[in-house]
Amino acid sequence: MTSDLTPPSPYADPAFLPEPAPPAEATPLARPRIRWAGIVWGAFFAAIAIVMLWTLTDPMRRGAIRDWILALSPTSVTPGTVVGVSLLVLGVLLLVGGGVAVLRRAQVRATGDADRMDECARF
């Protein structure tokens, strides 16, 4: 059942249809950035995993590590050893972080993006 009380739609007549928008100009898209931090940290953790797998696959190496761990005692671990190992770990982390920063800055310079250069300068 239809009702004759509804007004006709103005879009029923093709003269009232809106004109299509002109096509937008094709602008070249910027290439996506390479996420160097993910690549470098992934490679770092992959290297750690490879060393651990290499160590655990040979019974002789496992035995040597077990003997070394059992030989540790509170008297053999000196404060100098703890400080030295802590500084070594911190140095490796800073080295990897610095390498990531160098790669990022090189990528930003290669693209010539001035806004990103300011962003890199803040860090």
Side-chain angles (χ1 to χ4, degrees):
M1 180 171 188
T2 61
S3 171
D4 292 334
L5 299 176
T6 56
S9 171
Y11 296 110
D13 186 8
F16 289 107
L17 290 176
E19 293 182 21
E25 291 183 25
T27 58
L29 295 176
R31 291 181 57 202
R33 285 189 332 176
I34 297 173
R35 303 293 181 157
W36 286 109
I39 293 170
V40 171
W41 282 107
F44 178 72
F45 289 125
I48 290 174
I50 289 169
V51 168
M52 295 310 291
L53 284 173
W54 177 77
T55 302
L56 294 174
T57 54
D58 185 23
M60 295 285 290
R61 288 189 288 261
R62 276 194 315 244
I65 289 177
R66 185 187 64 236
D67 293 342
W68 174 71
I69 289 174
L70 291 176
L72 291 176
S73 68
T75 57
S76 66
V77 178
T78 63
T81 305
V82 173
V83 169
V85 170
S86 300
L87 287 176
L88 180 66
V89 168
L90 180 65
V92 167
L93 293 176
L94 287 175
L95 178 69
V96 172
V100 168
V102 166
L103 288 171
R104 181 172 183 240
R105 184 174 290 264
Q107 180 185 17
V108 169
R109 283 187 187 212
T111 60
D113 193 358
D115 294 334
R116 286 192 185 160
M117 283 298 289
D118 293 339
E119 182 181 319
C120 284
R122 284 185 284 165
F123 299 110

